[in-house]
Amino acid sequence: MIQENIDITHRHTFGIATEAKAWADYNSVDELRQLLQEAKERDLTFMPIGEGSNLLFVRRYDGLLLHSTIKTLNVTPTDNNEILVQAGSGWIWDDFVAHCVSQGWYGVENLSYIPGTVGASAVQNVGAYGVEACDVIDSISLLATDTLKECTIKASECNYGYRTSLFKTDWKGMYIVTAVTFRLSLNPRYTLDYGNLRSVVGDTPTLSSVREAVIKIRQQKLPEPNELGSAGSFFVNPVIAREHYNKLLEKYPNMPHYDVDTDRVKIPAAWLIDHLEWKGKSLGGAMVYPQQPLVIVNTGNARAGHVVQLAQDIAFSVFENFGIIITPEVNYIH
Ligand code: EPU
């Protein structure tokens, strides 16, 4: 099952030329268990990979990449017009969203067209247009990497926050997601208050019109991964103290913000980067995407070093000008 010395240039969305020592697809929890057993016997490091849409391979990956192709789907009705939909981790995220929309299941339509897989959505807590994966995740099915036992964890136990979960912090490397159970509604329920979504959708929303509007907005702002390599938003939007924000507001009265709570404010990194005129600037084969400066693209022959250097230069200038530290959303894989 394990393929050795694999070219993974097109197995991650940045499309930066690189290799992995080993790669394996698995189609069931049992196959995953066997692979983990073999990795242990061979003393191979390993890492799960979905579509590779949030990864920057800094060099050749000297371990085993584990790629789920589990595409099961189990639907359980509940008694309050909701359903529990358990989807295998290998579903392409947007295929899953399209399926939910076609079945009349409400909850994930705002998350249309996000690159990645169902498994990764639960780790990363993907979000867009006012909805986050954790709003609709009920529980996560996992395989523990040390005991090789299966377990299920409720979403409420995962410390979900903006683009984060315990899977990325305290539990890093401890589990591999094998399926995610979503709690979806059979009754119409829309979230349309983010940005210009409501005006793009129009007066009579339907599940498909919301999905189409989200796809339209994303296509205008974000590069198509198969045309121009990238990992979506390169940085997370920084959350700063309200005092800091109030000071900046004196100098930048038009600076947009989202209130997080009474003490904290989230600032769009896109605005900070745009304000410092980074759009379209490049370093080697890496470029700040002109339509959305939060995205760094591979113009064709980028090396990881170009991307890292450009990201550091951007972060440095944001810090010097605003005193704000912006951190990558993208995972650097060494
Ligand atoms: N802006 C500018 N100049 C620009 C673009 C944006 O000043 O060229 C400012 C505008 O004020 C705009 C604000 O930045 O209102 C925010 O932009 P946008 O609504 O496009 O959202 P974002 O903060 O850039 C986040 C997510 C996206 C998600 C959108 C929509 C993060 C890191 N990114 O982007 O997620 O699609 O909101 O919900 O939170 C991703 O994670 O890969 C991703 C694309």
Side-chain angles (χ1 to χ4, degrees), residues 144-178:
T145 53
D146 55 352
T147 60
L148 304 186
K149 289 201 174 126
E150 287 181 78
C151 60
T152 300
I153 295 186
K154 280 283 183 192
S156 53
E157 296 169 66
C158 299
N159 250 5
Y160 278 119
Y162 166 58
R163 296 294 194 276
T164 189
S165 70
L166 285 177
F167 299 114
K168 291 181 73 175
T169 54
D170 297 13
W171 297 343
K172 199 173 168 135
M174 285 168 58
Y175 301 105
I176 293 183
V177 177
T178 55

PDB file of all heavy atoms in Angstrom, residues 144-178:
ATOM      1  N   ALA A 144      -6.672   6.787  17.414  1.00  0.00           N
ATOM      2  CA  ALA A 144      -5.551   7.271  18.241  1.00  0.00           C
ATOM      3  C   ALA A 144      -4.260   6.690  17.678  1.00  0.00           C
ATOM      4  O   ALA A 144      -4.174   5.487  17.433  1.00  0.00           O
ATOM      5  CB  ALA A 144      -5.747   6.842  19.688  1.00  0.00           C
ATOM      6  N   THR A 145      -3.255   7.548  17.453  1.00  0.00           N
ATOM      7  CA  THR A 145      -2.045   7.075  16.770  1.00  0.00           C
ATOM      8  C   THR A 145      -1.155   6.213  17.663  1.00  0.00           C
ATOM      9  O   THR A 145      -0.361   5.437  17.163  1.00  0.00           O
ATOM     10  CB  THR A 145      -1.230   8.267  16.228  1.00  0.00           C
ATOM     11  OG1 THR A 145      -0.994   9.175  17.298  1.00  0.00           O
ATOM     12  CG2 THR A 145      -1.942   8.969  15.101  1.00  0.00           C
ATOM     13  N   ASP A 146      -1.287   6.306  18.996  1.00  0.00           N
ATOM     14  CA  ASP A 146      -0.436   5.455  19.840  1.00  0.00           C
ATOM     15  C   ASP A 146      -1.099   4.103  20.127  1.00  0.00           C
ATOM     16  O   ASP A 146      -0.507   3.057  19.906  1.00  0.00           O
ATOM     17  CB  ASP A 146      -0.030   6.174  21.142  1.00  0.00           C
ATOM     18  CG  ASP A 146      -1.227   6.673  21.936  1.00  0.00           C
ATOM     19  OD1 ASP A 146      -2.361   6.599  21.419  1.00  0.00           O
ATOM     20  OD2 ASP A 146      -1.039   7.116  23.085  1.00  0.00           O
ATOM     21  N   THR A 147      -2.361   4.104  20.535  1.00  0.00           N
ATOM     22  CA  THR A 147      -3.019   2.832  20.884  1.00  0.00           C
ATOM     23  C   THR A 147      -3.656   2.155  19.669  1.00  0.00           C
ATOM     24  O   THR A 147      -4.032   0.995  19.725  1.00  0.00           O
ATOM     25  CB  THR A 147      -4.140   3.091  21.918  1.00  0.00           C
ATOM     26  OG1 THR A 147      -5.078   3.999  21.312  1.00  0.00           O
ATOM     27  CG2 THR A 147      -3.597   3.706  23.190  1.00  0.00           C
ATOM     28  N   LEU A 148      -3.833   2.895  18.581  1.00  0.00           N
ATOM     29  CA  LEU A 148      -4.511   2.425  17.366  1.00  0.00           C
ATOM     30  C   LEU A 148      -5.971   2.040  17.651  1.00  0.00           C
ATOM     31  O   LEU A 148      -6.563   1.224  16.951  1.00  0.00           O
ATOM     32  CB  LEU A 148      -3.751   1.259  16.708  1.00  0.00           C
ATOM     33  CG  LEU A 148      -2.288   1.535  16.344  1.00  0.00           C
ATOM     34  CD1 LEU A 148      -1.687   0.361  15.581  1.00  0.00           C
ATOM     35  CD2 LEU A 148      -2.147   2.799  15.501  1.00  0.00           C
ATOM     36  N   LYS A 149      -6.538   2.670  18.689  1.00  0.00           N
ATOM     37  CA  LYS A 149      -7.956   2.422  19.024  1.00  0.00           C
ATOM     38  C   LYS A 149      -8.815   3.550  18.472  1.00  0.00           C
ATOM     39  O   LYS A 149      -8.382   4.697  18.391  1.00  0.00           O
ATOM     40  CB  LYS A 149      -8.132   2.362  20.539  1.00  0.00           C
ATOM     41  CG  LYS A 149      -7.539   1.106  21.131  1.00  0.00           C
ATOM     42  CD  LYS A 149      -8.153   0.827  22.495  1.00  0.00           C
ATOM     43  CE  LYS A 149      -7.660  -0.507  23.007  1.00  0.00           C
ATOM     44  NZ  LYS A 149      -7.073  -0.424  24.339  1.00  0.00           N
ATOM     45  N   GLU A 150     -10.081   3.182  18.144  1.00  0.00           N
ATOM     46  CA  GLU A 150     -11.013   4.199  17.657  1.00  0.00           C
ATOM     47  C   GLU A 150     -11.697   4.892  18.828  1.00  0.00           C
ATOM     48  O   GLU A 150     -11.924   4.270  19.868  1.00  0.00           O
ATOM     49  CB  GLU A 150     -12.093   3.535  16.800  1.00  0.00           C
ATOM     50  CG  GLU A 150     -11.582   3.084  15.454  1.00  0.00           C
ATOM     51  CD  GLU A 150     -12.701   2.465  14.631  1.00  0.00           C
ATOM     52  OE1 GLU A 150     -13.507   3.232  14.087  1.00  0.00           O
ATOM     53  OE2 GLU A 150     -12.745   1.232  14.553  1.00  0.00           O
ATOM     54  N   CYS A 151     -12.011   6.167  18.643  1.00  0.00           N
ATOM     55  CA  CYS A 151     -12.803   6.861  19.650  1.00  0.00           C
ATOM     56  C   CYS A 151     -13.597   7.983  18.980  1.00  0.00           C
ATOM     57  O   CYS A 151     -13.338   8.320  17.814  1.00  0.00           O
ATOM     58  CB  CYS A 151     -11.923   7.421  20.763  1.00  0.00           C
ATOM     59  SG  CYS A 151     -10.705   8.594  20.199  1.00  0.00           S
ATOM     60  N   THR A 152     -14.559   8.510  19.714  1.00  0.00           N
ATOM     61  CA  THR A 152     -15.371   9.617  19.195  1.00  0.00           C
ATOM     62  C   THR A 152     -15.318  10.746  20.206  1.00  0.00           C
ATOM     63  O   THR A 152     -15.455  10.505  21.411  1.00  0.00           O
ATOM     64  CB  THR A 152     -16.833   9.158  19.007  1.00  0.00           C
ATOM     65  OG1 THR A 152     -16.823   8.069  18.089  1.00  0.00           O
ATOM     66  CG2 THR A 152     -17.702  10.262  18.427  1.00  0.00           C
ATOM     67  N   ILE A 153     -15.100  11.957  19.703  1.00  0.00           N
ATOM     68  CA  ILE A 153     -15.026  13.112  20.603  1.00  0.00           C
ATOM     69  C   ILE A 153     -16.091  14.114  20.180  1.00  0.00           C
ATOM     70  O   ILE A 153     -16.272  14.382  18.984  1.00  0.00           O
ATOM     71  CB  ILE A 153     -13.607  13.732  20.565  1.00  0.00           C
ATOM     72  CG1 ILE A 153     -12.592  12.735  21.120  1.00  0.00           C
ATOM     73  CG2 ILE A 153     -13.564  15.043  21.365  1.00  0.00           C
ATOM     74  CD1 ILE A 153     -11.181  13.261  21.276  1.00  0.00           C
ATOM     75  N   LYS A 154     -16.811  14.646  21.141  1.00  0.00           N
ATOM     76  CA  LYS A 154     -17.834  15.657  20.861  1.00  0.00           C
ATOM     77  C   LYS A 154     -17.167  16.975  20.468  1.00  0.00           C
ATOM     78  O   LYS A 154     -16.108  17.329  21.026  1.00  0.00           O
ATOM     79  CB  LYS A 154     -18.680  15.889  22.125  1.00  0.00           C
ATOM     80  CG  LYS A 154     -19.737  14.822  22.323  1.00  0.00           C
ATOM     81  CD  LYS A 154     -20.878  15.090  21.363  1.00  0.00           C
ATOM     82  CE  LYS A 154     -22.042  14.158  21.495  1.00  0.00           C
ATOM     83  NZ  LYS A 154     -22.991  14.280  20.371  1.00  0.00           N
ATOM     84  N   ALA A 155     -17.798  17.718  19.582  1.00  0.00           N
ATOM     85  CA  ALA A 155     -17.226  18.999  19.145  1.00  0.00           C
ATOM     86  C   ALA A 155     -16.992  19.932  20.334  1.00  0.00           C
ATOM     87  O   ALA A 155     -16.008  20.673  20.377  1.00  0.00           O
ATOM     88  CB  ALA A 155     -18.153  19.656  18.136  1.00  0.00           C
ATOM     89  N   SER A 156     -17.887  19.838  21.338  1.00  0.00           N
ATOM     90  CA  SER A 156     -17.775  20.740  22.495  1.00  0.00           C
ATOM     91  C   SER A 156     -16.499  20.503  23.304  1.00  0.00           C
ATOM     92  O   SER A 156     -16.102  21.342  24.095  1.00  0.00           O
ATOM     93  CB  SER A 156     -18.998  20.565  23.394  1.00  0.00           C
ATOM     94  OG  SER A 156     -19.137  19.203  23.707  1.00  0.00           O
ATOM     95  N   GLU A 157     -15.843  19.351  23.075  1.00  0.00           N
ATOM     96  CA  GLU A 157     -14.617  19.050  23.836  1.00  0.00           C
ATOM     97  C   GLU A 157     -13.356  19.478  23.097  1.00  0.00           C
ATOM     98  O   GLU A 157     -12.244  19.277  23.582  1.00  0.00           O
ATOM     99  CB  GLU A 157     -14.525  17.535  24.093  1.00  0.00           C
ATOM    100  CG  GLU A 157     -15.625  16.977  24.965  1.00  0.00           C
ATOM    101  CD  GLU A 157     -15.605  15.453  24.940  1.00  0.00           C
ATOM    102  OE1 GLU A 157     -14.633  14.863  25.428  1.00  0.00           O
ATOM    103  OE2 GLU A 157     -16.548  14.867  24.386  1.00  0.00           O
ATOM    104  N   CYS A 158     -13.504  20.017  21.883  1.00  0.00           N
ATOM    105  CA  CYS A 158     -12.323  20.249  21.025  1.00  0.00           C
ATOM    106  C   CYS A 158     -11.777  21.666  21.108  1.00  0.00           C
ATOM    107  O   CYS A 158     -10.862  22.007  20.352  1.00  0.00           O
ATOM    108  CB  CYS A 158     -12.665  19.933  19.566  1.00  0.00           C
ATOM    109  SG  CYS A 158     -13.156  18.240  19.313  1.00  0.00           S
ATOM    110  N   ASN A 159     -12.324  22.485  21.999  1.00  0.00           N
ATOM    111  CA  ASN A 159     -11.851  23.873  22.152  1.00  0.00           C
ATOM    112  C   ASN A 159     -11.798  24.617  20.820  1.00  0.00           C
ATOM    113  O   ASN A 159     -10.789  25.248  20.501  1.00  0.00           O
ATOM    114  CB  ASN A 159     -10.439  23.864  22.735  1.00  0.00           C
ATOM    115  CG  ASN A 159     -10.433  24.380  24.141  1.00  0.00           C
ATOM    116  OD1 ASN A 159     -11.495  24.655  24.696  1.00  0.00           O
ATOM    117  ND2 ASN A 159      -9.244  24.504  24.710  1.00  0.00           N
ATOM    118  N   TYR A 160     -12.856  24.523  20.069  1.00  0.00           N
ATOM    119  CA  TYR A 160     -12.848  25.178  18.767  1.00  0.00           C
ATOM    120  C   TYR A 160     -12.795  26.693  18.910  1.00  0.00           C
ATOM    121  O   TYR A 160     -13.444  27.265  19.781  1.00  0.00           O
ATOM    122  CB  TYR A 160     -14.097  24.788  17.955  1.00  0.00           C
ATOM    123  CG  TYR A 160     -13.951  23.468  17.253  1.00  0.00           C
ATOM    124  CD1 TYR A 160     -14.799  22.408  17.537  1.00  0.00           C
ATOM    125  CD2 TYR A 160     -12.949  23.282  16.306  1.00  0.00           C
ATOM    126  CE1 TYR A 160     -14.657  21.185  16.884  1.00  0.00           C
ATOM    127  CE2 TYR A 160     -12.802  22.061  15.656  1.00  0.00           C
ATOM    128  CZ  TYR A 160     -13.652  21.020  15.953  1.00  0.00           C
ATOM    129  OH  TYR A 160     -13.499  19.822  15.309  1.00  0.00           O
ATOM    130  N   GLY A 161     -11.997  27.318  18.074  1.00  0.00           N
ATOM    131  CA  GLY A 161     -11.922  28.768  18.007  1.00  0.00           C
ATOM    132  C   GLY A 161     -11.636  29.138  16.562  1.00  0.00           C
ATOM    133  O   GLY A 161     -11.591  28.251  15.690  1.00  0.00           O
ATOM    134  N   TYR A 162     -11.404  30.393  16.320  1.00  0.00           N
ATOM    135  CA  TYR A 162     -11.138  30.875  14.967  1.00  0.00           C
ATOM    136  C   TYR A 162      -9.931  30.129  14.365  1.00  0.00           C
ATOM    137  O   TYR A 162      -8.824  30.282  14.851  1.00  0.00           O
ATOM    138  CB  TYR A 162     -10.914  32.393  15.042  1.00  0.00           C
ATOM    139  CG  TYR A 162     -10.313  33.035  13.828  1.00  0.00           C
ATOM    140  CD1 TYR A 162     -10.925  32.927  12.582  1.00  0.00           C
ATOM    141  CD2 TYR A 162      -9.135  33.761  13.923  1.00  0.00           C
ATOM    142  CE1 TYR A 162     -10.359  33.519  11.471  1.00  0.00           C
ATOM    143  CE2 TYR A 162      -8.575  34.373  12.827  1.00  0.00           C
ATOM    144  CZ  TYR A 162      -9.188  34.240  11.599  1.00  0.00           C
ATOM    145  OH  TYR A 162      -8.621  34.826  10.503  1.00  0.00           O
ATOM    146  N   ARG A 163     -10.205  29.274  13.392  1.00  0.00           N
ATOM    147  CA  ARG A 163      -9.189  28.478  12.683  1.00  0.00           C
ATOM    148  C   ARG A 163      -8.334  27.619  13.616  1.00  0.00           C
ATOM    149  O   ARG A 163      -7.173  27.357  13.322  1.00  0.00           O
ATOM    150  CB  ARG A 163      -8.235  29.373  11.876  1.00  0.00           C
ATOM    151  CG  ARG A 163      -8.862  30.158  10.760  1.00  0.00           C
ATOM    152  CD  ARG A 163      -9.394  29.240   9.659  1.00  0.00           C
ATOM    153  NE  ARG A 163      -9.695  30.000   8.469  1.00  0.00           N
ATOM    154  CZ  ARG A 163     -10.847  30.655   8.268  1.00  0.00           C
ATOM    155  NH1 ARG A 163     -11.799  30.612   9.178  1.00  0.00           N
ATOM    156  NH2 ARG A 163     -11.042  31.320   7.155  1.00  0.00           N
ATOM    157  N   THR A 164      -8.899  27.198  14.722  1.00  0.00           N
ATOM    158  CA  THR A 164      -8.090  26.384  15.622  1.00  0.00           C
ATOM    159  C   THR A 164      -8.942  25.359  16.380  1.00  0.00           C
ATOM    160  O   THR A 164     -10.167  25.468  16.457  1.00  0.00           O
ATOM    161  CB  THR A 164      -7.277  27.262  16.600  1.00  0.00           C
ATOM    162  OG1 THR A 164      -6.352  26.435  17.304  1.00  0.00           O
ATOM    163  CG2 THR A 164      -8.152  27.978  17.600  1.00  0.00           C
ATOM    164  N   SER A 165      -8.264  24.345  16.904  1.00  0.00           N
ATOM    165  CA  SER A 165      -8.885  23.301  17.724  1.00  0.00           C
ATOM    166  C   SER A 165      -7.774  22.607  18.495  1.00  0.00           C
ATOM    167  O   SER A 165      -6.586  22.819  18.207  1.00  0.00           O
ATOM    168  CB  SER A 165      -9.567  22.264  16.821  1.00  0.00           C
ATOM    169  OG  SER A 165      -8.580  21.509  16.132  1.00  0.00           O
ATOM    170  N   LEU A 166      -8.161  21.753  19.442  1.00  0.00           N
ATOM    171  CA  LEU A 166      -7.137  21.012  20.190  1.00  0.00           C
ATOM    172  C   LEU A 166      -6.340  20.079  19.276  1.00  0.00           C
ATOM    173  O   LEU A 166      -5.213  19.718  19.581  1.00  0.00           O
ATOM    174  CB  LEU A 166      -7.787  20.212  21.328  1.00  0.00           C
ATOM    175  CG  LEU A 166      -8.233  21.039  22.545  1.00  0.00           C
ATOM    176  CD1 LEU A 166      -8.936  20.141  23.560  1.00  0.00           C
ATOM    177  CD2 LEU A 166      -7.038  21.728  23.207  1.00  0.00           C
ATOM    178  N   PHE A 167      -6.938  19.700  18.110  1.00  0.00           N
ATOM    179  CA  PHE A 167      -6.198  18.835  17.169  1.00  0.00           C
ATOM    180  C   PHE A 167      -4.951  19.546  16.641  1.00  0.00           C
ATOM    181  O   PHE A 167      -4.010  18.908  16.188  1.00  0.00           O
ATOM    182  CB  PHE A 167      -7.083  18.425  15.985  1.00  0.00           C
ATOM    183  CG  PHE A 167      -8.295  17.646  16.409  1.00  0.00           C
ATOM    184  CD1 PHE A 167      -9.568  18.172  16.251  1.00  0.00           C
ATOM    185  CD2 PHE A 167      -8.158  16.397  16.989  1.00  0.00           C
ATOM    186  CE1 PHE A 167     -10.686  17.462  16.652  1.00  0.00           C
ATOM    187  CE2 PHE A 167      -9.272  15.674  17.401  1.00  0.00           C
ATOM    188  CZ  PHE A 167     -10.545  16.211  17.241  1.00  0.00           C
ATOM    189  N   LYS A 168      -4.975  20.896  16.653  1.00  0.00           N
ATOM    190  CA  LYS A 168      -3.813  21.649  16.157  1.00  0.00           C
ATOM    191  C   LYS A 168      -2.853  22.010  17.284  1.00  0.00           C
ATOM    192  O   LYS A 168      -1.760  22.473  17.031  1.00  0.00           O
ATOM    193  CB  LYS A 168      -4.286  22.960  15.496  1.00  0.00           C
ATOM    194  CG  LYS A 168      -5.028  22.764  14.196  1.00  0.00           C
ATOM    195  CD  LYS A 168      -5.450  24.073  13.588  1.00  0.00           C
ATOM    196  CE  LYS A 168      -4.301  24.845  12.998  1.00  0.00           C
ATOM    197  NZ  LYS A 168      -4.767  26.073  12.296  1.00  0.00           N
ATOM    198  N   THR A 169      -3.306  21.844  18.535  1.00  0.00           N
ATOM    199  CA  THR A 169      -2.468  22.291  19.665  1.00  0.00           C
ATOM    200  C   THR A 169      -2.147  21.108  20.575  1.00  0.00           C
ATOM    201  O   THR A 169      -1.316  20.283  20.227  1.00  0.00           O
ATOM    202  CB  THR A 169      -3.175  23.446  20.413  1.00  0.00           C
ATOM    203  OG1 THR A 169      -4.497  23.020  20.789  1.00  0.00           O
ATOM    204  CG2 THR A 169      -3.293  24.686  19.524  1.00  0.00           C
ATOM    205  N   ASP A 170      -2.860  21.000  21.694  1.00  0.00           N
ATOM    206  CA  ASP A 170      -2.522  19.972  22.704  1.00  0.00           C
ATOM    207  C   ASP A 170      -2.584  18.542  22.167  1.00  0.00           C
ATOM    208  O   ASP A 170      -1.881  17.665  22.644  1.00  0.00           O
ATOM    209  CB  ASP A 170      -3.508  20.043  23.886  1.00  0.00           C
ATOM    210  CG  ASP A 170      -3.417  21.360  24.614  1.00  0.00           C
ATOM    211  OD1 ASP A 170      -2.795  22.290  24.075  1.00  0.00           O
ATOM    212  OD2 ASP A 170      -3.984  21.475  25.700  1.00  0.00           O
ATOM    213  N   TRP A 171      -3.489  18.289  21.207  1.00  0.00           N
ATOM    214  CA  TRP A 171      -3.662  16.916  20.703  1.00  0.00           C
ATOM    215  C   TRP A 171      -2.914  16.694  19.401  1.00  0.00           C
ATOM    216  O   TRP A 171      -3.129  15.681  18.737  1.00  0.00           O
ATOM    217  CB  TRP A 171      -5.146  16.625  20.454  1.00  0.00           C
ATOM    218  CG  TRP A 171      -6.025  16.668  21.661  1.00  0.00           C
ATOM    219  CD1 TRP A 171      -5.639  16.617  22.968  1.00  0.00           C
ATOM    220  CD2 TRP A 171      -7.459  16.768  21.674  1.00  0.00           C
ATOM    221  NE1 TRP A 171      -6.737  16.681  23.785  1.00  0.00           N
ATOM    222  CE2 TRP A 171      -7.865  16.767  23.027  1.00  0.00           C
ATOM    223  CE3 TRP A 171      -8.434  16.837  20.681  1.00  0.00           C
ATOM    224  CZ2 TRP A 171      -9.205  16.855  23.402  1.00  0.00           C
ATOM    225  CZ3 TRP A 171      -9.763  16.917  21.047  1.00  0.00           C
ATOM    226  CH2 TRP A 171     -10.142  16.924  22.396  1.00  0.00           C
ATOM    227  N   LYS A 172      -2.040  17.613  19.036  1.00  0.00           N
ATOM    228  CA  LYS A 172      -1.353  17.516  17.743  1.00  0.00           C
ATOM    229  C   LYS A 172      -0.665  16.149  17.596  1.00  0.00           C
ATOM    230  O   LYS A 172       0.095  15.733  18.479  1.00  0.00           O
ATOM    231  CB  LYS A 172      -0.320  18.642  17.625  1.00  0.00           C
ATOM    232  CG  LYS A 172       0.088  18.889  16.218  1.00  0.00           C
ATOM    233  CD  LYS A 172       0.966  20.113  16.093  1.00  0.00           C
ATOM    234  CE  LYS A 172       1.545  20.076  14.726  1.00  0.00           C
ATOM    235  NZ  LYS A 172       1.550  21.234  14.005  1.00  0.00           N
ATOM    236  N   GLY A 173      -0.926  15.454  16.516  1.00  0.00           N
ATOM    237  CA  GLY A 173      -0.283  14.165  16.250  1.00  0.00           C
ATOM    238  C   GLY A 173      -0.899  12.992  16.992  1.00  0.00           C
ATOM    239  O   GLY A 173      -0.534  11.844  16.759  1.00  0.00           O
ATOM    240  N   MET A 174      -1.838  13.256  17.922  1.00  0.00           N
ATOM    241  CA  MET A 174      -2.363  12.153  18.740  1.00  0.00           C
ATOM    242  C   MET A 174      -3.473  11.359  18.058  1.00  0.00           C
ATOM    243  O   MET A 174      -3.715  10.201  18.393  1.00  0.00           O
ATOM    244  CB  MET A 174      -2.892  12.704  20.070  1.00  0.00           C
ATOM    245  CG  MET A 174      -1.772  13.071  21.026  1.00  0.00           C
ATOM    246  SD  MET A 174      -2.359  14.018  22.442  1.00  0.00           S
ATOM    247  CE  MET A 174      -3.561  12.936  23.164  1.00  0.00           C
ATOM    248  N   TYR A 175      -4.201  12.021  17.138  1.00  0.00           N
ATOM    249  CA  TYR A 175      -5.339  11.352  16.493  1.00  0.00           C
ATOM    250  C   TYR A 175      -5.307  11.598  14.992  1.00  0.00           C
ATOM    251  O   TYR A 175      -4.797  12.614  14.542  1.00  0.00           O
ATOM    252  CB  TYR A 175      -6.663  11.949  16.989  1.00  0.00           C
ATOM    253  CG  TYR A 175      -6.896  11.855  18.464  1.00  0.00           C
ATOM    254  CD1 TYR A 175      -6.759  12.987  19.272  1.00  0.00           C
ATOM    255  CD2 TYR A 175      -7.276  10.655  19.052  1.00  0.00           C
ATOM    256  CE1 TYR A 175      -6.993  12.913  20.643  1.00  0.00           C
ATOM    257  CE2 TYR A 175      -7.519  10.578  20.416  1.00  0.00           C
ATOM    258  CZ  TYR A 175      -7.374  11.706  21.200  1.00  0.00           C
ATOM    259  OH  TYR A 175      -7.613  11.636  22.543  1.00  0.00           O
ATOM    260  N   ILE A 176      -5.935  10.678  14.264  1.00  0.00           N
ATOM    261  CA  ILE A 176      -6.218  10.943  12.849  1.00  0.00           C
ATOM    262  C   ILE A 176      -7.736  10.881  12.690  1.00  0.00           C
ATOM    263  O   ILE A 176      -8.392   9.933  13.160  1.00  0.00           O
ATOM    264  CB  ILE A 176      -5.492   9.933  11.937  1.00  0.00           C
ATOM    265  CG1 ILE A 176      -3.973  10.195  12.047  1.00  0.00           C
ATOM    266  CG2 ILE A 176      -5.969  10.070  10.488  1.00  0.00           C
ATOM    267  CD1 ILE A 176      -3.097   9.354  11.172  1.00  0.00           C
ATOM    268  N   VAL A 177      -8.289  11.907  12.061  1.00  0.00           N
ATOM    269  CA  VAL A 177      -9.743  11.983  11.875  1.00  0.00           C
ATOM    270  C   VAL A 177     -10.150  10.977  10.797  1.00  0.00           C
ATOM    271  O   VAL A 177      -9.573  10.970   9.701  1.00  0.00           O
ATOM    272  CB  VAL A 177     -10.160  13.410  11.416  1.00  0.00           C
ATOM    273  CG1 VAL A 177     -11.665  13.478  11.148  1.00  0.00           C
ATOM    274  CG2 VAL A 177      -9.746  14.454  12.451  1.00  0.00           C
ATOM    275  N   THR A 178     -11.125  10.142  11.106  1.00  0.00           N
ATOM    276  CA  THR A 178     -11.582   9.171  10.103  1.00  0.00           C
ATOM    277  C   THR A 178     -12.971   9.525   9.557  1.00  0.00           C
ATOM    278  O   THR A 178     -13.319   9.145   8.454  1.00  0.00           O
ATOM    279  CB  THR A 178     -11.597   7.748  10.690  1.00  0.00           C
ATOM    280  OG1 THR A 178     -12.389   7.766  11.875  1.00  0.00           O
ATOM    281  CG2 THR A 178     -10.188   7.277  11.020  1.00  0.00           C
TER     282      THR A 178
END
